Amino acid sequence: MTIKKQQKEQSNKLMKIAINHIKAPFAFYLLAFALIIASCSPKVVQPYAVTNKVYLTRTDSILQVIAQQQPVALTDSTGAPIPSSFVGTVNFNARKPNYVIIHFTAQDSAAQTLKTFTIVKTQVSAHYVIGRDGHVYHMLNDYLRAWHAGVSKWGSITDMNSCSIGIELDNNGSEPFAPAQINSLLSLLATLKKNYNIPASNFIGHQDIAPGRKPDPGPFFPWQTLAQHGFGHWSDDVLELAPDNFDPQTALRLIGYDTRDLSAAIVAFKRHFIQTDQSPQLTQLDLNVLYNVYKKY
Ligand SMILES: [Zn+2]
């Protein structure tokens, strides 16, 4: 069966689910959602025809879960059931991503990463992979939860996968990023920012949300260029002196860093905002940059 036929069947199946289980406008919403998924025509047919079919099966099962009209099952402190029933509201839409997390793949090619993300045993994925040549591989619908952040924390958010888009850049971790790749990234970020109304502060790196555990996208990543386009922040050219009573730990925490391991948080901050030095000490210049950056959050 061709991918197009599979998608048509998938689309028909989803329409039936919507029509059988629900009434407009919920049906309208689900139909739109199904059509969005069905219209995501895969750019890479071979050798991913089999995994694309698995993708359709998984999205099908997720839509069936969404369409369920089972009320929550609760019991009181004595174990007796609390009466509950399902009354569907007519006013809702899908939850939107509110963060973008940028990664490097630490692999040698985009093909290697596509393989990694289409093998079940790795248990990792991202919404997008961008090749060095600028080719964008869209691997998961933006409304679904990719497995790219892992154990992470930003502010009080501990489930970054549930609120973010993950973008992986084909880069081995110790080399500059290709200009074509960054150009494609900037286009993609502009689209995501517009589609989901993501604030500038919420474009961050894996290193920021998992200090001490993850080094990506590392000191070669052009955060300054991104900030100039409205994605993330960068320090101003002219820096004010950090005041004597300036508390760097509180500033890092207010930006979003997990400061339970302060040294790791400082290194993560410096990988992002200093880049030329990644020691766990803060020089006067580092403090001035931190003071400047924290006022932007
Ligand atoms: Zn990462």
Side-chain angles (χ1 to χ4, degrees), residues 103-104 148 168 206 214 216:
H103 306 253
F104 61 50
H148 63 96
E168 290 275 0
H206 202 187
K214 290 292 176 182
D216 58 315

